[in-house]
Protein backbone atom coordinates (compact mmCIF):
# COMPACT_ATOMS: atom_id res chain seq x y z
CA UNK A 1 0.00 0.00 0.00
CA UNK A 2 2.81 2.42 0.92
CA UNK A 3 4.65 1.80 -2.37
CA UNK A 4 1.45 2.39 -4.35
CA UNK A 5 0.78 5.60 -2.43
CA UNK A 6 4.35 6.75 -3.10
CA UNK A 7 3.88 6.01 -6.81
CA UNK A 8 0.70 8.11 -6.95
CA UNK A 9 2.44 11.05 -5.23
CA UNK A 10 5.37 10.94 -7.63
CA UNK A 11 3.06 10.77 -10.64
CA UNK A 12 1.03 13.72 -9.38
CA UNK A 13 4.21 15.77 -8.78
CA UNK A 14 5.44 15.01 -12.28
CA UNK A 15 2.12 16.13 -13.78
CA UNK A 16 2.16 19.37 -11.79
CA UNK A 17 5.75 20.09 -12.85
CA UNK A 18 4.91 19.43 -16.49
CA UNK A 19 1.83 21.62 -16.28
CA UNK A 20 3.80 24.52 -14.75
CA UNK A 21 6.52 24.24 -17.40
CA UNK A 22 3.90 24.49 -20.14
CA UNK A 23 2.45 27.75 -18.86
CA UNK A 24 5.54 29.41 -17.36
CA UNK A 25 8.70 30.25 -19.20
CA UNK A 26 11.68 29.00 -17.17
CA UNK A 27 13.57 32.28 -17.74
CA UNK A 28 10.71 34.49 -16.60
CA UNK A 29 9.02 32.34 -13.97
CA UNK A 30 9.73 34.92 -11.24
CA UNK A 31 9.06 37.95 -13.41
CA UNK A 32 12.66 39.15 -13.10
CA UNK A 33 15.29 39.21 -15.81
CA UNK A 34 18.29 37.06 -14.77
CA UNK A 35 21.21 39.37 -14.05
CA UNK A 36 23.71 36.82 -15.38
CA UNK A 37 22.36 37.33 -18.88
CA UNK A 38 22.35 41.15 -18.75
CA UNK A 39 25.65 42.41 -20.13
CA UNK A 40 26.60 45.27 -22.40
CA UNK A 41 27.81 43.93 -25.74
CA UNK A 42 28.92 45.46 -28.99
CA UNK A 43 26.20 46.29 -31.46
CA UNK A 44 25.40 43.33 -33.69
CA UNK A 45 25.48 43.62 -37.49
CA UNK A 46 22.40 44.94 -39.16
CA UNK A 47 19.69 42.36 -39.79
CA UNK A 48 16.91 42.65 -42.35
CA UNK A 49 13.67 43.94 -40.92
CA UNK A 50 10.44 42.02 -41.19
CA UNK A 51 9.70 38.44 -40.17
CA UNK A 52 11.80 35.28 -40.17
CA UNK A 53 10.77 31.91 -41.61
CA UNK A 54 8.78 31.06 -38.47
CA UNK A 55 6.82 34.31 -38.71
CA UNK A 56 8.45 36.02 -35.68
CA UNK A 57 9.19 39.75 -35.82
CA UNK A 58 12.89 40.45 -36.27
CA UNK A 59 14.58 43.25 -34.30
CA UNK A 60 15.46 46.45 -36.08
CA UNK A 61 18.88 46.93 -37.59
CA UNK A 62 21.59 47.52 -35.00
CA UNK A 63 19.61 46.20 -32.01
CA UNK A 64 21.35 43.98 -29.50
CA UNK A 65 20.17 40.40 -29.81
CA UNK A 66 19.36 39.68 -26.16
CA UNK A 67 16.53 37.39 -25.16
CA UNK A 68 14.65 39.76 -22.88
CA UNK A 69 14.97 42.58 -25.40
CA UNK A 70 13.55 40.41 -28.19
CA UNK A 71 10.55 39.55 -26.03
CA UNK A 72 10.04 43.19 -25.14
CA UNK A 73 10.38 44.16 -28.81
CA UNK A 74 7.65 41.73 -29.80
CA UNK A 75 5.31 42.95 -27.05
CA UNK A 76 5.93 46.68 -27.58
CA UNK A 77 6.74 46.89 -31.28
CA UNK A 78 5.10 50.31 -31.43
CA UNK A 79 8.12 51.84 -29.68
CA UNK A 80 10.17 51.52 -32.85
CA UNK A 81 7.50 51.56 -35.54
CA UNK A 82 3.76 51.56 -35.08
CA UNK A 83 2.26 48.62 -36.91
CA UNK A 84 -1.53 48.13 -36.75
CA UNK A 85 -2.67 44.71 -35.66
CA UNK A 86 0.50 43.65 -33.87
CA UNK A 87 -0.19 45.31 -30.53
CA UNK A 88 -3.41 47.02 -29.58
CA UNK A 89 -2.41 50.30 -27.94
CA UNK A 90 -4.59 52.81 -26.15
CA UNK A 91 -4.77 56.29 -27.65
CA UNK A 92 -3.58 57.97 -24.45
CA UNK A 93 -0.40 55.90 -24.21
CA UNK A 94 0.33 56.45 -27.89
CA UNK A 95 -0.04 60.22 -27.58
CA UNK A 96 2.24 60.35 -24.53
CA UNK A 97 4.84 58.28 -26.31
CA UNK A 98 4.79 60.50 -29.40
CA UNK A 99 5.22 63.66 -27.30
CA UNK A 100 8.15 62.21 -25.38
CA UNK A 101 9.70 60.87 -28.56
CA UNK A 102 9.70 64.35 -30.14
CA UNK A 103 11.23 65.92 -26.99
CA UNK A 104 13.96 63.29 -26.81
CA UNK A 105 14.73 63.65 -30.51
CA UNK A 106 15.10 67.42 -30.15
CA UNK A 107 17.39 67.10 -27.12
CA UNK A 108 19.56 64.52 -28.93
CA UNK A 109 19.78 66.74 -31.98
CA UNK A 110 21.37 69.56 -29.98
CA UNK A 111 23.61 67.20 -28.01
CA UNK A 112 21.88 67.84 -24.68
CA UNK A 113 22.94 65.06 -22.33
CA UNK A 114 20.48 66.00 -19.57
CA UNK A 115 17.35 66.28 -21.67
CA UNK A 116 16.73 69.73 -20.23
CA UNK A 117 16.87 71.43 -23.62
CA UNK A 118 13.35 70.31 -24.42
CA UNK A 119 11.86 71.82 -21.26
CA UNK A 120 13.36 75.29 -21.26
CA UNK A 121 13.90 75.22 -17.47
CA UNK A 122 17.68 75.24 -17.32
CA UNK A 123 17.80 78.98 -16.56
CA UNK A 124 15.57 78.68 -13.47
CA UNK A 125 18.20 78.61 -10.73
CA UNK A 126 16.45 77.90 -7.44
CA UNK A 127 19.57 78.44 -5.30
CA UNK A 128 23.36 78.18 -5.45
CA UNK A 129 25.65 76.33 -3.08
CA UNK A 130 29.46 76.17 -3.22
CA UNK A 131 29.49 77.25 -6.88
CA UNK A 132 26.79 74.75 -7.93
CA UNK A 133 23.47 75.98 -9.29
CA UNK A 134 20.29 74.07 -8.53
CA UNK A 135 18.53 73.94 -11.91
CA UNK A 136 15.88 71.36 -12.83
CA UNK A 137 17.25 68.38 -14.80
CA UNK A 138 20.86 69.12 -13.84
CA UNK A 139 22.96 67.31 -11.23
CA UNK A 140 24.15 68.26 -7.76
CA UNK A 141 27.47 66.82 -6.59
CA UNK A 142 27.05 66.00 -2.89
CA UNK A 143 30.61 64.88 -2.16
CA UNK A 144 32.09 68.40 -1.65
CA UNK A 145 29.01 69.41 0.37
CA UNK A 146 28.96 66.52 2.83
CA UNK A 147 31.37 67.75 5.48
CA UNK A 148 30.02 71.29 5.76
CA UNK A 149 26.36 70.97 4.82
CA UNK A 150 25.52 67.29 5.44
CA UNK A 151 27.33 66.12 8.58
CA UNK A 152 24.33 63.83 9.22
CA UNK A 153 25.40 61.63 6.28
CA UNK A 154 23.83 60.54 3.01
CA UNK A 155 20.03 60.64 2.81
CA UNK A 156 18.04 57.41 2.95
CA UNK A 157 19.70 54.32 1.50
CA UNK A 158 21.20 55.97 -1.57
CA UNK A 159 24.67 54.86 -0.52
CA UNK A 160 23.58 51.23 -0.80
CA UNK A 161 21.79 51.21 -4.13
CA UNK A 162 23.67 53.90 -6.10
CA UNK A 163 26.62 55.74 -4.52
CA UNK A 164 28.65 52.56 -4.05
CA UNK A 165 29.02 51.96 -7.78
CA UNK A 166 29.05 55.41 -9.41
CA UNK A 167 32.11 57.63 -9.73
CA UNK A 168 30.58 60.92 -8.59
CA UNK A 169 28.09 61.19 -5.72
CA UNK A 170 25.51 63.09 -7.78
CA UNK A 171 21.76 63.39 -7.51
CA UNK A 172 19.36 64.93 -10.01
CA UNK A 173 17.86 68.34 -9.33
CA UNK A 174 14.12 67.92 -9.88
CA UNK A 175 11.36 70.43 -10.41
CA UNK A 176 9.21 68.80 -7.70
CA UNK A 177 11.84 69.71 -5.10
CA UNK A 178 12.17 73.20 -6.54
CA UNK A 179 8.44 73.77 -5.97
CA UNK A 180 8.85 73.01 -2.26
CA UNK A 181 11.85 75.35 -2.01
CA UNK A 182 9.87 78.18 -3.56
CA UNK A 183 7.04 77.48 -1.11
CA UNK A 184 9.45 77.81 1.82
CA UNK A 185 10.72 81.09 0.40
CA UNK A 186 7.16 82.38 0.18
CA UNK A 187 6.49 81.41 3.79
CA UNK A 188 9.65 83.22 4.86
CA UNK A 189 8.68 86.38 2.96
CA UNK A 190 5.24 86.27 4.61
CA UNK A 191 6.76 86.04 8.07
CA UNK A 192 5.61 82.41 8.57
CA UNK A 193 2.12 83.70 9.34
CA UNK A 194 -0.61 81.07 9.31
CA UNK A 195 -3.04 83.67 8.03
CA UNK A 196 -0.89 84.00 4.90
CA UNK A 197 -0.68 80.27 4.18
CA UNK A 198 2.32 79.23 6.27
CA UNK A 199 2.09 75.57 7.33
CA UNK A 200 4.15 72.47 7.87
CA UNK A 201 4.71 70.28 4.80
CA UNK A 202 4.68 66.49 4.41
CA UNK A 203 6.60 64.89 1.54
CA UNK A 204 4.84 61.77 0.33
CA UNK A 205 5.04 59.41 -2.64
CA UNK A 206 5.48 55.82 -3.76
CA UNK A 207 8.42 53.70 -2.70
CA UNK A 208 11.62 54.70 -4.49
CA UNK A 209 10.43 58.00 -5.99
CA UNK A 210 13.09 60.01 -4.12
CA UNK A 211 11.39 61.44 -1.02
CA UNK A 212 14.54 61.26 1.10
CA UNK A 213 16.63 62.85 -1.67
CA UNK A 214 14.08 65.65 -2.04
CA UNK A 215 14.22 66.34 1.72
CA UNK A 216 18.03 66.34 1.57
CA UNK A 217 17.99 68.89 -1.27
CA UNK A 218 15.62 71.07 0.74
CA UNK A 219 17.98 70.93 3.73
CA UNK A 220 20.86 71.98 1.46
CA UNK A 221 18.72 74.82 0.12
CA UNK A 222 17.82 76.01 3.63
CA UNK A 223 21.39 75.91 4.91
CA UNK A 224 22.70 77.65 1.78
CA UNK A 225 20.09 80.40 2.28
CA UNK A 226 21.03 80.97 5.92
CA UNK A 227 18.34 78.94 7.71
CA UNK A 228 19.02 77.28 11.06
CA UNK A 229 18.16 73.69 10.15
CA UNK A 230 17.72 70.71 12.47
CA UNK A 231 17.93 67.64 10.20
CA UNK A 232 17.11 64.04 11.19
CA UNK A 233 17.76 61.93 8.05
CA UNK A 234 16.88 58.48 9.45
CA UNK A 235 14.27 58.69 12.17
CA UNK A 236 13.68 54.94 12.10
CA UNK A 237 17.03 54.51 13.88
CA UNK A 238 15.63 56.42 16.84
CA UNK A 239 13.06 53.66 17.40
CA UNK A 240 15.22 50.64 16.64
CA UNK A 241 18.96 51.03 17.31
CA UNK A 242 19.37 52.75 20.67
CA UNK A 243 18.33 52.14 24.28
CA UNK A 244 15.75 53.85 26.47
CA UNK A 245 15.78 54.75 30.16
CA UNK A 246 12.95 55.94 32.41
CA UNK A 247 12.89 59.73 32.64
CA UNK A 248 13.86 61.37 35.92
CA UNK A 249 11.62 64.39 35.40
CA UNK A 250 8.38 62.94 34.01
CA UNK A 251 6.45 59.86 35.02
CA UNK A 252 5.80 57.13 32.43
CA UNK A 253 8.16 58.84 29.98
CA UNK A 254 11.43 57.40 28.66
CA UNK A 255 14.66 59.07 27.57
CA UNK A 256 16.76 58.27 24.50
CA UNK A 257 20.18 59.61 25.46
CA UNK A 258 22.31 58.22 22.62
CA UNK A 259 19.95 59.38 19.87
CA UNK A 260 19.67 62.87 21.38
CA UNK A 261 23.44 63.20 21.67
CA UNK A 262 24.03 62.22 18.02
CA UNK A 263 21.40 64.67 16.73
CA UNK A 264 22.91 67.56 18.71
CA UNK A 265 26.44 66.69 17.57
CA UNK A 266 25.43 66.88 13.91
CA UNK A 267 23.46 70.07 14.58
CA UNK A 268 26.55 71.68 16.08
CA UNK A 269 28.77 70.73 13.10
CA UNK A 270 26.33 72.29 10.65
CA UNK A 271 25.52 75.52 12.56
CA UNK A 272 28.26 76.21 15.10
CA UNK A 273 28.62 79.87 14.11
CA UNK A 274 24.89 80.58 14.21
CA UNK A 275 24.36 78.84 17.55
CA UNK A 276 27.09 80.98 19.10
CA UNK A 277 25.07 84.15 18.37
CA UNK A 278 21.71 82.99 19.78
CA UNK A 279 21.15 83.49 23.51
CA UNK A 280 19.12 81.09 25.62
CA UNK A 281 15.67 82.22 26.72
CA UNK A 282 14.75 79.33 29.05
CA UNK A 283 16.51 77.06 31.57
CA UNK A 284 16.99 73.33 32.08
CA UNK A 285 15.04 71.22 34.58
CA UNK A 286 16.31 71.46 38.15
CA UNK A 287 17.73 67.95 38.56
CA UNK A 288 21.06 66.77 39.92
CA UNK A 289 22.43 65.66 36.54
CA UNK A 290 21.96 69.14 35.05
CA UNK A 291 23.02 71.13 38.11
CA UNK A 292 26.47 72.14 36.73
CA UNK A 293 24.90 73.85 33.71
CA UNK A 294 22.13 75.50 35.74
CA UNK A 295 24.66 76.94 38.17
CA UNK A 296 26.82 78.38 35.39
CA UNK A 297 23.99 79.75 33.20
CA UNK A 298 23.93 83.52 32.73
CA UNK A 299 22.19 86.01 30.46
CA UNK A 300 24.95 85.54 27.91
CA UNK A 301 24.64 81.75 27.71
CA UNK A 302 24.13 80.74 24.07
CA UNK A 303 22.60 77.75 22.34
CA UNK A 304 26.12 76.61 21.47
CA UNK A 305 26.85 76.32 25.20
CA UNK A 306 23.65 74.33 25.61
CA UNK A 307 24.48 71.94 22.75
CA UNK A 308 28.07 71.48 23.94
CA UNK A 309 26.82 70.54 27.38
CA UNK A 310 24.15 68.22 25.99
CA UNK A 311 26.65 66.21 23.96
CA UNK A 312 28.84 65.44 26.99
CA UNK A 313 26.43 65.38 29.96
CA UNK A 314 24.69 62.38 31.54
CA UNK A 315 21.20 63.41 30.47
CA UNK A 316 21.28 64.62 26.83
CA UNK A 317 17.58 63.85 26.34
CA UNK A 318 16.49 66.67 28.66
CA UNK A 319 18.95 69.03 26.98
CA UNK A 320 17.58 68.12 23.53
CA UNK A 321 14.01 68.77 24.66
CA UNK A 322 15.15 72.17 25.96
CA UNK A 323 16.93 72.85 22.64
CA UNK A 324 13.79 71.99 20.70
CA UNK A 325 11.80 74.43 22.83
CA UNK A 326 14.46 77.08 22.29
CA UNK A 327 14.13 76.74 18.51
CA UNK A 328 10.49 77.75 18.80
CA UNK A 329 11.57 81.16 20.08
CA UNK A 330 14.54 81.84 17.76
CA UNK A 331 14.16 85.11 15.85
CA UNK A 332 17.73 85.72 14.66
CA UNK A 333 17.47 83.23 11.77
CA UNK A 334 14.64 81.41 10.01
CA UNK A 335 14.34 77.91 11.49
CA UNK A 336 13.60 74.66 9.65
CA UNK A 337 13.08 71.28 11.33
CA UNK A 338 13.40 68.47 8.77
CA UNK A 339 12.64 64.87 9.75
CA UNK A 340 12.78 61.88 7.42
CA UNK A 341 10.71 58.73 8.13
CA UNK A 342 8.40 60.85 10.30
CA UNK A 343 5.69 58.16 10.53
CA UNK A 344 8.18 55.86 12.34
CA UNK A 345 7.89 58.14 15.37
CA UNK A 346 4.21 57.26 15.87
CA UNK A 347 2.65 54.10 17.28
CA UNK A 348 4.68 51.17 18.57
CA UNK A 349 8.46 51.45 18.61
CA UNK A 350 11.05 48.70 18.75
CA UNK A 351 11.48 49.09 22.52
CA UNK A 352 9.87 46.90 25.16
CA UNK A 353 8.83 48.39 28.46
CA UNK A 354 10.99 47.43 31.45
CA UNK A 355 9.79 44.37 33.36
CA UNK A 356 8.77 46.31 36.47
CA UNK A 357 6.65 48.71 34.39
CA UNK A 358 4.70 46.28 32.23
CA UNK A 359 2.20 43.48 32.57
CA UNK A 360 2.94 39.79 32.21
CA UNK A 361 2.68 39.97 28.43
CA UNK A 362 5.10 41.97 26.28
CA UNK A 363 4.24 45.68 26.09
CA UNK A 364 5.82 48.00 23.55
CA UNK A 365 6.72 51.61 24.17
CA UNK A 366 4.79 54.13 22.06
CA UNK A 367 6.52 57.01 20.32
CA UNK A 368 4.60 59.50 22.48
CA UNK A 369 6.18 57.93 25.57
CA UNK A 370 9.77 58.83 24.55
CA UNK A 371 10.86 62.39 25.30
CA UNK A 372 13.10 62.85 22.24
CA UNK A 373 10.42 61.57 19.88
CA UNK A 374 7.79 63.78 21.52
CA UNK A 375 9.99 66.75 20.65
CA UNK A 376 10.15 65.71 16.98
CA UNK A 377 6.76 64.19 16.16
CA UNK A 378 4.73 67.40 16.44
CA UNK A 379 5.16 69.07 13.03
CA UNK A 380 1.42 69.75 12.79
CA UNK A 381 1.56 71.54 16.16
CA UNK A 382 4.50 73.78 15.28
CA UNK A 383 4.62 76.89 17.42
CA UNK A 384 7.79 78.41 15.97
CA UNK A 385 7.86 82.17 15.81
CA UNK A 386 10.19 82.31 12.82
CA UNK A 387 10.22 78.93 11.14
CA UNK A 388 8.40 75.84 9.95
CA UNK A 389 8.65 72.04 9.75
CA UNK A 390 8.97 69.71 6.80
CA UNK A 391 8.83 65.93 7.06
CA UNK A 392 9.06 62.97 4.71
CA UNK A 393 7.11 59.76 5.11
CA UNK A 394 8.45 56.27 4.52
CA UNK A 395 6.62 53.32 2.97
CA UNK A 396 8.47 50.99 5.35
CA UNK A 397 5.91 51.57 8.10
CA UNK A 398 2.18 52.07 8.23
CA UNK A 399 0.84 55.61 8.45
CA UNK A 400 -2.18 54.56 10.51
CA UNK A 401 -0.98 56.02 13.82
CA UNK A 402 0.53 59.01 12.02
CA UNK A 403 -2.80 59.92 10.42
CA UNK A 404 -4.64 59.34 13.69
CA UNK A 405 -2.46 61.85 15.51
CA UNK A 406 -1.98 64.40 12.72
CA UNK A 407 -5.44 64.15 11.20
CA UNK A 408 -6.32 63.15 7.65
CA UNK A 409 -7.56 66.60 6.66
CA UNK A 410 -4.41 68.31 7.94
CA UNK A 411 -2.25 65.76 6.12
CA UNK A 412 -4.10 66.14 2.82
CA UNK A 413 -3.83 69.92 3.00
CA UNK A 414 -0.06 69.85 3.71
CA UNK A 415 0.86 66.85 1.52
CA UNK A 416 3.36 67.32 -1.31
CA UNK A 417 3.90 64.36 -3.63
CA UNK A 418 7.21 63.45 -5.22
CA UNK A 419 6.43 61.79 -8.59
CA UNK A 420 8.37 59.16 -10.48
CA UNK A 421 10.81 60.13 -13.22
CA UNK A 422 9.40 61.67 -16.34
CA UNK A 423 11.02 60.14 -19.40
CA UNK A 424 13.20 63.22 -19.83
CA UNK A 425 14.47 62.88 -16.27
CA UNK A 426 15.11 59.18 -16.77
CA UNK A 427 16.91 59.78 -20.05
CA UNK A 428 19.05 62.48 -18.41
CA UNK A 429 20.03 60.09 -15.61
CA UNK A 430 21.08 57.38 -18.09
CA UNK A 431 23.09 59.84 -20.17
CA UNK A 432 24.83 61.00 -16.99
CA UNK A 433 25.91 57.43 -16.28
CA UNK A 434 27.45 57.35 -19.76
CA UNK A 435 29.14 60.76 -19.56
CA UNK A 436 30.76 59.98 -16.19
CA UNK A 437 32.06 56.63 -17.44
CA UNK A 438 29.96 54.53 -15.05
CA UNK A 439 28.20 52.87 -18.00
CA UNK A 440 30.69 51.90 -20.69
CA UNK A 441 28.36 51.16 -23.60
CA UNK A 442 25.25 53.03 -24.60
CA UNK A 443 22.04 50.98 -24.25
CA UNK A 444 19.76 50.73 -27.24
CA UNK A 445 16.54 52.69 -27.35
CA UNK A 446 14.67 49.42 -26.81
CA UNK A 447 16.68 48.67 -23.68
CA UNK A 448 16.07 52.18 -22.33
CA UNK A 449 12.34 51.78 -22.80
CA UNK A 450 12.39 48.32 -21.26
CA UNK A 451 14.17 49.40 -18.07
CA UNK A 452 12.00 52.54 -17.81
CA UNK A 453 8.81 50.48 -17.78
CA UNK A 454 10.13 47.58 -15.68
CA UNK A 455 11.28 49.99 -12.95
CA UNK A 456 8.03 51.99 -13.10
CA UNK A 457 10.21 55.10 -13.65
CA UNK A 458 11.16 55.23 -9.96
CA UNK A 459 14.66 56.65 -9.34
CA UNK A 460 15.62 54.09 -6.71
CA UNK A 461 14.65 51.12 -8.87
CA UNK A 462 16.29 52.61 -11.96
CA UNK A 463 19.58 53.02 -10.07
CA UNK A 464 19.35 49.49 -8.66
CA UNK A 465 18.70 48.04 -12.12
CA UNK A 466 21.58 49.85 -13.79
CA UNK A 467 23.85 48.75 -10.93
CA UNK A 468 23.51 45.19 -12.25
CA UNK A 469 24.80 46.30 -15.66
CA UNK A 470 28.11 47.65 -14.43
Amino acid sequence: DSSFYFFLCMKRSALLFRRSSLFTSPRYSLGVVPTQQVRWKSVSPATPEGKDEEGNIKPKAGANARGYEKEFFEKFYYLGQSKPGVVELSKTAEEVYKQQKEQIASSRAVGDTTGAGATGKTDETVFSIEGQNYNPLTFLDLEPLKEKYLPEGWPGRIDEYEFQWITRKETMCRESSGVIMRTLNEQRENGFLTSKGAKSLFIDGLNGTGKSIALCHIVLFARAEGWLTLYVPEAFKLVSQYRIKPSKTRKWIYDLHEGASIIMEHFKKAHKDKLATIKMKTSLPRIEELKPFNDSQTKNTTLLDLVDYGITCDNPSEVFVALRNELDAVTEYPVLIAVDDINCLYGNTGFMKPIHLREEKIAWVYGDEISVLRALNRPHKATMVNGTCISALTTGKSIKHFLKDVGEEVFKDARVEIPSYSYLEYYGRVMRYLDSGDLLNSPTVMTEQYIYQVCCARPKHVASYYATLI
Side-chain angles (χ1 to χ4, degrees):
D1 294 339
S2 59
S3 61
F4 179 71
Y5 178 73
F6 176 76
F7 171 76
L8 289 179
C9 291
M10 294 296 292
K11 185 175 180 181
R12 185 171 182 271
S13 301
L15 290 175
L16 290 175
F17 176 78
R18 184 178 180 185
R19 180 181 179 185
S20 63
S21 63
L22 289 175
F23 291 96
T24 306
S25 173
R27 291 180 58 195
Y28 300 94
S29 57
L30 297 179
V32 180
V33 180
T35 57
Q36 294 85 349
Q37 299 180 9
V38 181
R39 295 290 187 271
W40 295 124
K41 298 180 180 179
S42 59
V43 178
S44 59
T47 55
E49 298 184 1
K51 295 184 178 181
D52 55 19
E53 297 177 357
E54 299 178 358
N56 297 324
I57 300 174
K58 289 185 177 181
K60 293 171 60 179
N64 292 345
R66 289 187 288 272
Y68 75 90
E69 185 174 316
K70 180 180 178 182
E71 177 184 343
F72 181 76
F73 184 86
E74 293 177 354
K75 288 184 178 180
F76 302 96
Y77 185 55
Y78 66 88
L79 294 175
Q81 177 182 356
S82 180
K83 186 172 182 180
V86 177
V87 177
E88 184 177 354
L89 181 66
S90 64
K91 293 182 179 180
T92 303
E94 190 170 7
E95 291 174 358
V96 171
Y97 169 71
K98 287 181 179 180
Q99 292 176 1
Q100 293 182 347
K101 186 177 180 181
E102 293 175 358
Q103 292 176 345
I104 296 165
S106 62
S107 63
R108 283 178 172 170
V110 298
D112 186 2
T113 58
T114 65
T119 63
K121 295 182 178 180
T122 54
D123 295 333
E124 295 184 9
T125 301
V126 183
F127 73 99
S128 298
I129 180 170
E130 296 294 325
Q132 301 186 62
N133 294 330
Y134 194 95
N135 300 325
L137 294 174
T138 59
F139 291 86
L140 191 67
D141 190 358
L142 299 183
E143 186 67 39
L145 307 177
K146 183 178 181 181
E147 183 177 355
K148 182 178 179 180
Y149 294 94
L150 284 178
E152 297 85 357
W154 303 127
R157 295 173 55 195
I158 192 171
D159 188 43
E160 299 178 18
Y161 62 79
E162 187 171 20
F163 279 1
Q164 288 185 352
W165 59 272
I166 62 176
T167 305
R168 303 179 64 180
K169 307 299 188 290
E170 294 180 325
T171 53
M172 175 174 280
C173 306
R174 304 184 63 188
E175 178 63 22
S176 53
S177 300
V179 171
I180 301 176
M181 296 172 191
R182 297 186 190 98
T183 301
L184 293 178
N185 263 337
E186 292 177 1
Q187 293 190 16
R188 180 181 181 179
E189 293 172 358
N190 294 330
F192 299 101
L193 297 176
T194 307
S195 59
K196 294 187 177 182
K199 59 185 176 182
S200 300
L201 300 176
F202 298 104
I203 299 176
D204 195 16
L206 299 174
N207 175 264
T209 54
K211 300 182 292 295
S212 297
I213 303 299
L215 184 63
C216 174
H217 286 182
I218 293 165
V219 169
L220 291 175
F221 154 78
R223 288 176 173 171
E225 294 293 315
W227 293 53
L228 186 65
T229 308
L230 180 66
Y231 179 36
V232 183
E234 294 175 315
F236 74 91
K237 289 185 177 180
L238 299 178
V239 297
S240 60
Q241 294 190 8
Y242 306 123
R243 293 179 296 178
I244 59 173
K245 292 179 63 178
S247 174
K248 293 187 177 181
T249 58
R250 282 159 289 188
K251 193 175 181 180
W252 310 118
I253 298 297
Y254 302 90
D255 288 334
L256 193 68
H257 296 328
E258 189 177 357
S261 179
I262 292 175
I263 294 175
M264 287 189 290
E265 185 176 359
H266 293 157
F267 188 48
K268 175 187 173 182
K269 289 181 180 179
H271 299 287
K272 183 177 180 179
D273 296 338
K274 289 184 175 64
L275 293 174
T277 63
I278 305 173
K279 295 182 180 180
M280 282 189 63
K281 301 176 179 63
T282 60
S283 61
L284 295 179
R286 298 294 175 176
I287 58 177
E288 188 64 27
E289 292 176 328
L290 304 179
K291 189 175 184 299
F293 185 85
N294 288 328
D295 293 342
S296 62
Q297 184 176 358
T298 64
K299 294 182 179 180
N300 296 324
T301 301
T302 64
L303 292 188
L304 180 60
D305 300 326
L306 177 67
V307 172
D308 280 334
Y309 181 76
I311 295 173
T312 57
C313 74
D314 295 331
N315 198 333
S317 295
E318 292 293 344
V319 178
F320 178 78
V321 173
L323 173 64
R324 175 63 184 85
N325 293 330
E326 286 284 344
L327 293 179
D328 286 343
V330 170
T331 57
E332 291 83 353
Y333 305 96
V335 180
L336 179 68
I337 296 178
V339 182
D340 200 1
D341 307 328
I342 184 68
N343 50 315
C344 290
L345 305 183
Y346 296 81
N348 287 341
T349 64
F351 305 114
M352 289 189 299
K353 291 185 178 181
I355 296 177
H356 64 283
L357 293 177
R358 61 181 171 88
E359 302 174 2
E360 295 181 357
K361 61 181 181 179
I362 295 177
W364 301 98
V365 178
Y366 270 66
D368 290 339
E369 297 176 311
I370 301 176
S371 59
V372 175
L373 305 191
R374 286 161 60 96
L376 292 173
N377 64 3
R378 55 181 187 185
H380 58 296
K381 300 176 182 178
T383 57
M384 285 184 285
V385 176
N386 189 36
T388 186
C389 298
I390 183 166
S391 310
L393 282 75
T394 176
T395 57
K397 185 177 179 179
S398 171
I399 62 172
K400 175 182 176 182
H401 296 284
F402 168 78
L403 290 178
K404 182 179 179 180
D405 191 64
V406 173
E408 293 189 11
E409 294 299 326
V410 174
F411 174 67
K412 289 180 181 179
D413 183 55
R415 180 178 180 268
V416 181
E417 184 177 1
I418 301 297
S420 301
Y421 274 155
S422 66
Y423 195 86
L424 284 176
E425 290 176 327
Y426 164 74
Y427 174 71
R429 177 72 266 190
V430 176
M431 292 299 103
R432 195 67 171 187
Y433 290 150
L434 289 169
D435 294 342
S436 59
D438 298 318
L439 205 57
L440 299 180
N441 298 301
S442 176
T444 62
V445 176
M446 190 60 58
T447 303
E448 290 179 12
Q449 294 280 356
Y450 173 79
I451 298 176
Y452 180 72
Q453 296 198 23
V454 164
C455 297
C456 301
R458 301 183 191 178
K460 176 182 177 180
H461 301 165
V462 169
S464 300
Y465 197 109
Y466 275 96
T468 65
L469 308 181
I470 299 300

